[in-house]
Tab-separated table of all heavy atoms in Angstrom:
chain	number	residue	atom	x	y	z
A	1	THR	N	0.920	-1.143	0.010
A	1	THR	CA	0.022	-0.026	-0.071
A	1	THR	C	0.864	1.226	0.044
A	1	THR	O	1.604	1.452	0.919
A	1	THR	CB	-0.923	0.018	1.193
A	1	THR	OG1	-1.787	-1.189	1.204
A	1	THR	CG2	-1.868	1.255	1.250
A	2	LEU	N	0.843	1.894	-1.124
A	2	LEU	CA	1.813	3.068	-1.263
A	2	LEU	C	1.112	4.357	-0.628
A	2	LEU	O	-0.021	4.617	-0.909
A	2	LEU	CB	2.070	3.299	-2.793
A	2	LEU	CG	2.884	4.549	-3.082
A	2	LEU	CD1	4.309	4.557	-2.424
A	2	LEU	CD2	2.982	4.753	-4.555
A	3	VAL	N	1.914	4.997	0.267
A	3	VAL	CA	1.463	6.280	0.770
A	3	VAL	C	2.618	7.217	0.333
A	3	VAL	O	3.782	7.175	0.717
A	3	VAL	CB	1.322	6.368	2.337
A	3	VAL	CG1	0.958	7.662	2.826
A	3	VAL	CG2	0.314	5.223	2.717
A	4	ALA	N	2.168	8.389	-0.407
A	4	ALA	CA	3.099	9.383	-0.837
A	4	ALA	C	2.720	10.605	-0.304
A	4	ALA	O	1.522	10.952	-0.152
A	4	ALA	CB	3.078	9.487	-2.396
A	5	ALA	N	3.632	11.429	0.007
A	5	ALA	CA	3.507	12.853	0.590
A	5	ALA	C	4.223	13.803	-0.136
A	5	ALA	O	5.423	13.582	-0.501
A	5	ALA	CB	3.828	12.771	2.105
A	6	ALA	N	3.739	14.951	-0.338
A	6	ALA	CA	4.390	15.999	-0.987
A	6	ALA	C	3.848	17.340	-0.625
A	6	ALA	O	2.716	17.527	-0.012
A	6	ALA	CB	4.192	15.896	-2.577
A	7	ASN	N	4.766	18.418	-0.787
A	7	ASN	CA	4.274	19.748	-0.559
A	7	ASN	C	3.589	20.229	-1.837
A	7	ASN	O	3.789	19.875	-2.969
A	7	ASN	CB	5.467	20.689	-0.229
A	7	ASN	CG	6.117	20.372	1.042
A	7	ASN	OD1	5.490	19.937	1.992
A	7	ASN	ND2	7.459	20.430	1.089
A	8	PRO	N	2.675	21.372	-1.673
A	8	PRO	CA	1.874	21.845	-2.894
A	8	PRO	C	2.785	22.607	-3.746
A	8	PRO	O	2.366	22.798	-4.886
A	8	PRO	CB	0.764	22.619	-2.193
A	8	PRO	CG	1.275	22.988	-0.856
A	8	PRO	CD	2.161	21.924	-0.442
A	9	CYS	N	3.852	23.025	-3.389
A	9	CYS	CA	4.717	23.853	-4.236
A	9	CYS	C	6.200	23.808	-3.654
A	9	CYS	O	6.422	23.285	-2.611
A	9	CYS	CB	4.312	25.302	-4.259
A	9	CYS	SG	4.458	26.186	-2.692
A	10	PRO	N	7.149	24.287	-4.400
A	10	PRO	CA	8.563	24.185	-3.859
A	10	PRO	C	8.784	24.687	-2.425
A	10	PRO	O	9.524	24.078	-1.668
A	10	PRO	CB	9.423	24.896	-4.898
A	10	PRO	CG	8.561	24.802	-6.212
A	10	PRO	CD	7.095	24.907	-5.686
A	11	CYS	N	8.109	25.799	-2.100
A	11	CYS	CA	8.367	26.393	-0.817
A	11	CYS	C	7.439	25.748	0.218
A	11	CYS	O	7.716	25.948	1.464
A	11	CYS	CB	8.154	28.047	-0.897
A	11	CYS	SG	6.535	28.442	-1.029
A	12	GLY	N	6.339	25.179	-0.168
A	12	GLY	CA	5.480	24.473	0.645
A	12	GLY	C	4.326	25.282	1.121
A	12	GLY	O	3.430	24.680	1.931
A	13	TRP	N	4.177	26.530	0.811
A	13	TRP	CA	3.079	27.429	1.347
A	13	TRP	C	2.187	27.894	0.321
A	13	TRP	O	1.734	29.060	0.310
A	13	TRP	CB	3.725	28.532	2.164
A	13	TRP	CG	4.677	28.208	3.136
A	13	TRP	CD1	6.132	28.236	3.145
A	13	TRP	CD2	4.308	27.530	4.392
A	13	TRP	NE1	6.565	27.789	4.276
A	13	TRP	CE2	5.578	27.339	5.141
A	13	TRP	CE3	3.174	27.252	5.122
A	13	TRP	CZ2	5.601	26.691	6.364
A	13	TRP	CZ3	3.261	26.616	6.288
A	13	TRP	CH2	4.433	26.392	7.054
A	14	SER	N	1.941	27.123	-0.656
A	14	SER	CA	1.017	27.452	-1.800
A	14	SER	C	-0.378	27.893	-1.174
A	14	SER	O	-0.946	27.237	-0.308
A	14	SER	CB	0.787	26.334	-2.709
A	14	SER	OG	-0.130	26.707	-3.845
A	15	GLY	N	-0.911	29.043	-1.727
A	15	GLY	CA	-2.229	29.640	-1.150
A	15	GLY	C	-2.061	30.420	0.104
A	15	GLY	O	-3.051	30.982	0.577
A	16	ASP	N	-0.813	30.642	0.584
A	16	ASP	CA	-0.575	31.384	1.736
A	16	ASP	C	0.269	32.640	1.345
A	16	ASP	O	0.988	32.545	0.335
A	16	ASP	CB	0.240	30.509	2.807
A	16	ASP	CG	0.201	31.272	4.210
A	16	ASP	OD1	1.113	32.062	4.352
A	16	ASP	OD2	-0.602	30.961	4.975
A	17	ARG	N	0.205	33.641	2.161
A	17	ARG	CA	0.895	34.854	1.870
A	17	ARG	C	2.454	34.755	1.913
A	17	ARG	O	3.264	35.388	1.313
A	17	ARG	CB	0.523	36.050	2.733
A	17	ARG	CG	0.790	35.763	4.259
A	17	ARG	CD	0.301	36.963	5.061
A	17	ARG	NE	0.600	36.707	6.452
A	17	ARG	CZ	0.265	37.468	7.489
A	17	ARG	NH1	-0.357	38.658	7.130
A	17	ARG	NH2	0.648	37.248	8.704
A	18	ARG	N	2.805	33.615	2.557
A	18	ARG	CA	4.300	33.263	2.691
A	18	ARG	C	4.810	32.592	1.430
A	18	ARG	O	5.998	32.475	1.303
A	18	ARG	CB	4.460	32.270	3.861
A	18	ARG	CG	4.319	33.052	5.193
A	18	ARG	CD	4.390	31.923	6.312
A	18	ARG	NE	3.208	31.147	6.338
A	18	ARG	CZ	2.999	30.050	7.323
A	18	ARG	NH1	3.945	29.981	8.175
A	18	ARG	NH2	1.894	29.359	7.292
A	19	CYS	N	3.933	32.215	0.564
A	19	CYS	CA	4.432	31.523	-0.695
A	19	CYS	C	5.175	32.469	-1.568
A	19	CYS	O	4.701	33.625	-1.856
A	19	CYS	CB	3.239	30.994	-1.434
A	19	CYS	SG	3.668	30.010	-2.901
A	20	ILE	N	6.294	32.103	-2.117
A	20	ILE	CA	7.143	32.892	-2.974
A	20	ILE	C	7.228	32.284	-4.367
A	20	ILE	O	8.165	32.659	-5.128
A	20	ILE	CB	8.589	33.070	-2.390
A	20	ILE	CG1	9.178	31.776	-2.115
A	20	ILE	CG2	8.512	33.912	-1.053
A	20	ILE	CD1	10.659	31.822	-1.608
A	21	CYS	N	6.439	31.269	-4.656
A	21	CYS	CA	6.598	30.492	-5.867
A	21	CYS	C	5.753	31.149	-7.007
A	21	CYS	O	4.497	31.410	-6.747
A	21	CYS	CB	6.219	29.067	-5.741
A	21	CYS	SG	7.258	28.206	-4.403
A	22	SER	N	6.222	31.152	-8.111
A	22	SER	CA	5.413	31.586	-9.266
A	22	SER	C	4.660	30.437	-9.855
A	22	SER	O	4.938	29.309	-9.579
A	22	SER	CB	6.389	32.229	-10.352
A	22	SER	OG	7.220	31.217	-10.919
A	23	GLU	N	3.804	30.718	-10.799
A	23	GLU	CA	2.905	29.761	-11.390
A	23	GLU	C	3.919	28.766	-12.266
A	23	GLU	O	3.700	27.647	-12.304
A	23	GLU	CB	1.921	30.367	-12.353
A	23	GLU	CG	1.023	29.264	-13.058
A	23	GLU	CD	0.144	28.479	-12.045
A	23	GLU	OE1	-0.125	29.088	-10.940
A	23	GLU	OE2	-0.296	27.448	-12.406
A	24	LEU	N	4.945	29.367	-12.834
A	24	LEU	CA	5.832	28.511	-13.630
A	24	LEU	C	6.571	27.582	-12.799
A	24	LEU	O	6.821	26.462	-13.135
A	24	LEU	CB	6.857	29.558	-14.422
A	24	LEU	CG	7.941	28.750	-15.205
A	24	LEU	CD1	7.260	27.882	-16.381
A	24	LEU	CD2	8.825	29.753	-15.877
A	25	LYS	N	7.012	28.110	-11.617
A	25	LYS	CA	7.748	27.202	-10.630
A	25	LYS	C	6.818	25.980	-10.105
A	25	LYS	O	7.276	24.893	-10.104
A	25	LYS	CB	8.157	28.031	-9.437
A	25	LYS	CG	9.481	28.661	-9.549
A	25	LYS	CD	9.938	29.303	-8.175
A	25	LYS	CE	11.261	29.893	-8.312
A	25	LYS	NZ	11.791	30.412	-7.009
A	26	ARG	N	5.538	26.357	-9.986
A	26	ARG	CA	4.662	25.292	-9.493
A	26	ARG	C	4.457	24.276	-10.582
A	26	ARG	O	4.425	23.059	-10.369
A	26	ARG	CB	3.314	25.866	-9.053
A	26	ARG	CG	3.386	26.473	-7.625
A	26	ARG	CD	1.925	26.665	-7.146
A	26	ARG	NE	1.356	27.811	-7.922
A	26	ARG	CZ	1.398	29.158	-7.418
A	26	ARG	NH1	2.155	29.438	-6.325
A	26	ARG	NH2	0.896	30.153	-8.139
A	27	ARG	N	4.369	24.692	-11.838
A	27	ARG	CA	4.228	23.758	-12.952
A	27	ARG	C	5.462	22.938	-13.145
A	27	ARG	O	5.304	21.663	-13.366
A	27	ARG	CB	3.927	24.533	-14.231
A	27	ARG	CG	2.545	25.133	-14.284
A	27	ARG	CD	2.262	25.764	-15.685
A	27	ARG	NE	0.918	26.217	-15.758
A	27	ARG	CZ	-0.107	25.496	-16.188
A	27	ARG	NH1	0.144	24.281	-16.562
A	27	ARG	NH2	-1.355	25.982	-16.202
A	28	ARG	N	6.592	23.619	-12.939
A	28	ARG	CA	7.817	22.673	-13.093
A	28	ARG	C	7.887	21.729	-11.861
A	28	ARG	O	8.378	20.585	-12.068
A	28	ARG	CB	8.984	23.644	-13.033
A	28	ARG	CG	9.223	24.373	-14.377
A	28	ARG	CD	10.390	25.323	-14.199
A	28	ARG	NE	10.682	26.005	-15.566
A	28	ARG	CZ	11.519	26.907	-15.738
A	28	ARG	NH1	12.351	27.398	-14.665
A	28	ARG	NH2	11.732	27.546	-16.873
A	29	TYR	N	7.467	22.087	-10.747
A	29	TYR	CA	7.564	21.271	-9.568
A	29	TYR	C	6.680	19.985	-9.744
A	29	TYR	O	7.131	18.951	-9.583
A	29	TYR	CB	7.052	22.077	-8.368
A	29	TYR	CG	7.039	21.334	-7.126
A	29	TYR	CD1	8.228	21.070	-6.291
A	29	TYR	CD2	5.856	20.995	-6.479
A	29	TYR	CE1	8.140	20.531	-5.106
A	29	TYR	CE2	5.829	20.383	-5.235
A	29	TYR	CZ	6.950	20.042	-4.584
A	29	TYR	OH	6.931	19.428	-3.386
A	30	TRP	N	5.419	20.200	-10.159
A	30	TRP	CA	4.498	18.989	-10.382
A	30	TRP	C	4.892	18.295	-11.737
A	30	TRP	O	4.462	17.124	-11.892
A	30	TRP	CB	3.048	19.518	-10.396
A	30	TRP	CG	2.589	19.689	-9.001
A	30	TRP	CD1	2.522	20.957	-8.335
A	30	TRP	CD2	2.252	18.738	-8.113
A	30	TRP	NE1	2.065	20.707	-7.103
A	30	TRP	CE2	1.904	19.346	-6.897
A	30	TRP	CE3	2.176	17.358	-8.141
A	30	TRP	CZ2	1.445	18.698	-5.723
A	30	TRP	CZ3	1.777	16.565	-7.000
A	30	TRP	CH2	1.480	17.302	-5.795
A	31	GLY	N	5.635	18.979	-12.653
A	31	GLY	CA	6.038	18.248	-13.778
A	31	GLY	C	7.093	17.108	-13.480
A	31	GLY	O	7.439	16.363	-14.369
A	32	ARG	N	7.555	17.134	-12.301
A	32	ARG	CA	8.543	16.000	-11.904
A	32	ARG	C	7.769	14.681	-11.732
A	32	ARG	O	8.334	13.627	-11.763
A	32	ARG	CB	9.161	16.340	-10.580
A	32	ARG	CG	9.959	17.581	-10.551
A	32	ARG	CD	10.533	17.921	-9.270
A	32	ARG	NE	11.219	19.269	-9.180
A	32	ARG	CZ	11.742	19.780	-8.087
A	32	ARG	NH1	11.655	19.194	-6.953
A	32	ARG	NH2	12.317	20.982	-8.050
A	33	LEU	N	6.490	14.737	-11.582
A	33	LEU	CA	5.624	13.485	-11.539
A	33	LEU	C	4.883	13.286	-12.784
A	33	LEU	O	4.277	14.204	-13.298
A	33	LEU	CB	4.668	13.588	-10.387
A	33	LEU	CG	5.278	13.873	-8.947
A	33	LEU	CD1	4.094	14.048	-7.964
A	33	LEU	CD2	6.276	12.845	-8.551
A	34	SER	N	4.995	12.054	-13.358
A	34	SER	CA	4.346	11.767	-14.591
A	34	SER	C	2.872	11.479	-14.408
A	34	SER	O	2.419	11.095	-13.185
A	34	SER	CB	4.993	10.469	-15.310
A	34	SER	OG	4.774	9.352	-14.424
A	35	GLY	N	2.108	11.814	-15.350
A	35	GLY	CA	0.582	11.546	-15.273
A	35	GLY	C	0.305	10.078	-15.073
A	35	GLY	O	-0.646	9.880	-14.241
A	36	PRO	N	0.912	9.165	-15.703
A	36	PRO	CA	0.631	7.692	-15.498
A	36	PRO	C	0.863	7.328	-14.010
A	36	PRO	O	0.102	6.446	-13.525
A	36	PRO	CB	1.549	7.038	-16.428
A	36	PRO	CG	1.785	7.979	-17.479
A	36	PRO	CD	1.780	9.357	-16.826
A	37	LEU	N	1.867	7.887	-13.370
A	37	LEU	CA	2.146	7.548	-12.015
A	37	LEU	C	0.922	8.127	-11.027
A	37	LEU	O	0.459	7.360	-10.222
A	37	LEU	CB	3.444	7.932	-11.588
A	37	LEU	CG	3.800	7.860	-9.979
A	37	LEU	CD1	3.865	6.305	-9.793
A	37	LEU	CD2	5.107	8.499	-9.648
A	38	LEU	N	0.702	9.364	-11.272
A	38	LEU	CA	-0.346	9.963	-10.480
A	38	LEU	C	-1.761	9.236	-10.718
A	38	LEU	O	-2.548	9.161	-9.857
A	38	LEU	CB	-0.552	11.454	-10.796
A	38	LEU	CG	0.637	12.345	-10.275
A	38	LEU	CD1	0.414	13.745	-10.885
A	38	LEU	CD2	0.692	12.380	-8.853
A	39	ASP	N	-1.949	8.808	-12.001
A	39	ASP	CA	-3.159	8.173	-12.331
A	39	ASP	C	-3.399	6.817	-11.554
A	39	ASP	O	-4.503	6.392	-11.347
A	39	ASP	CB	-3.153	7.892	-13.856
A	39	ASP	CG	-4.650	7.877	-14.432
A	39	ASP	OD1	-5.482	8.427	-13.759
A	39	ASP	OD2	-4.786	7.226	-15.458
A	40	ARG	N	-2.257	6.275	-11.091
A	40	ARG	CA	-2.369	5.028	-10.326
A	40	ARG	C	-2.595	5.172	-8.795
A	40	ARG	O	-2.689	4.264	-8.052
A	40	ARG	CB	-1.012	4.199	-10.567
A	40	ARG	CG	-1.024	3.579	-11.900
A	40	ARG	CD	0.391	2.950	-12.223
A	40	ARG	NE	0.356	2.114	-13.411
A	40	ARG	CZ	0.457	2.537	-14.655
A	40	ARG	NH1	0.503	3.833	-14.794
A	40	ARG	NH2	0.388	1.641	-15.588
A	41	LEU	N	-2.595	6.410	-8.320
A	41	LEU	CA	-2.934	6.732	-6.934
A	41	LEU	C	-4.327	6.981	-6.699
A	41	LEU	O	-4.913	7.861	-7.172
A	41	LEU	CB	-2.006	7.833	-6.532
A	41	LEU	CG	-0.640	7.869	-6.726
A	41	LEU	CD1	0.128	9.151	-6.298
A	41	LEU	CD2	0.001	6.624	-5.976
A	42	ASP	N	-5.028	5.964	-6.113
A	42	ASP	CA	-6.479	5.936	-6.055
A	42	ASP	C	-7.002	7.116	-5.185
A	42	ASP	O	-8.040	7.688	-5.547
A	42	ASP	CB	-7.021	4.661	-5.322
A	42	ASP	CG	-6.459	3.435	-6.132
A	42	ASP	OD1	-5.857	3.560	-7.184
A	42	ASP	OD2	-6.827	2.302	-5.748
A	43	LEU	N	-6.371	7.427	-4.106
A	43	LEU	CA	-6.872	8.414	-3.187
A	43	LEU	C	-5.890	9.629	-3.258
A	43	LEU	O	-4.681	9.496	-3.058
A	43	LEU	CB	-6.959	7.889	-1.795
A	43	LEU	CG	-7.776	6.590	-1.570
A	43	LEU	CD1	-7.588	6.060	-0.180
A	43	LEU	CD2	-9.205	6.891	-1.946
A	44	GLN	N	-6.347	10.739	-3.612
A	44	GLN	CA	-5.501	11.978	-3.725
A	44	GLN	C	-6.107	13.115	-2.848
A	44	GLN	O	-7.235	13.543	-3.194
A	44	GLN	CB	-5.389	12.436	-5.196
A	44	GLN	CG	-4.828	11.343	-6.080
A	44	GLN	CD	-4.918	11.618	-7.558
A	44	GLN	OE1	-5.373	12.687	-7.888
A	44	GLN	NE2	-4.397	10.749	-8.377
A	45	LEU	N	-5.533	13.512	-1.848
A	45	LEU	CA	-6.070	14.346	-0.805
A	45	LEU	C	-5.172	15.656	-0.653
A	45	LEU	O	-4.002	15.536	-0.647
A	45	LEU	CB	-6.232	13.771	0.471
A	45	LEU	CG	-7.435	12.873	0.613
A	45	LEU	CD1	-7.267	12.116	1.955
A	45	LEU	CD2	-8.644	13.552	0.471
A	46	LYS	N	-5.857	16.860	-0.639
A	46	LYS	CA	-5.173	18.049	-0.248
A	46	LYS	C	-5.389	18.373	1.174
A	46	LYS	O	-6.624	18.630	1.586
A	46	LYS	CB	-5.642	19.156	-1.195
A	46	LYS	CG	-4.920	20.549	-0.961
A	46	LYS	CD	-5.328	21.582	-1.954
A	46	LYS	CE	-4.660	22.842	-1.752
A	46	LYS	NZ	-5.079	23.853	-2.611
């Protein structure tokens, strides 16, 4: 049973005033994970 944990953005504070990440940074950050791998994770929670 795979349990994976990740931050929402490189700095970890996406949606908060402390976040210093641009939209391009966030896209590159999540681009490290392929769609087929994420597609195999049944439960995805924020």
Side-chain angles (χ1 to χ4, degrees):
T1 300
L2 174 65
V3 179
N7 294 325
C9 66
C11 73
W13 304 107
S14 178
D16 190 274
R17 62 182 181 180
R18 290 173 288 182
C19 182
I20 58 174
C21 301
S22 64
E23 183 66 22
L24 179 60
K25 273 189 176 182
R26 281 193 288 269
R27 286 183 175 272
R28 286 178 177 173
Y29 180 74
W30 281 101
R32 301 175 187 176
L33 304 179
S34 65
L37 176 65
L38 289 172
D39 209 22
R40 286 169 166 82
L41 302 178
D42 303 358
L43 307 171
Q44 300 169 2
L45 282 175
K46 184 176 180 182

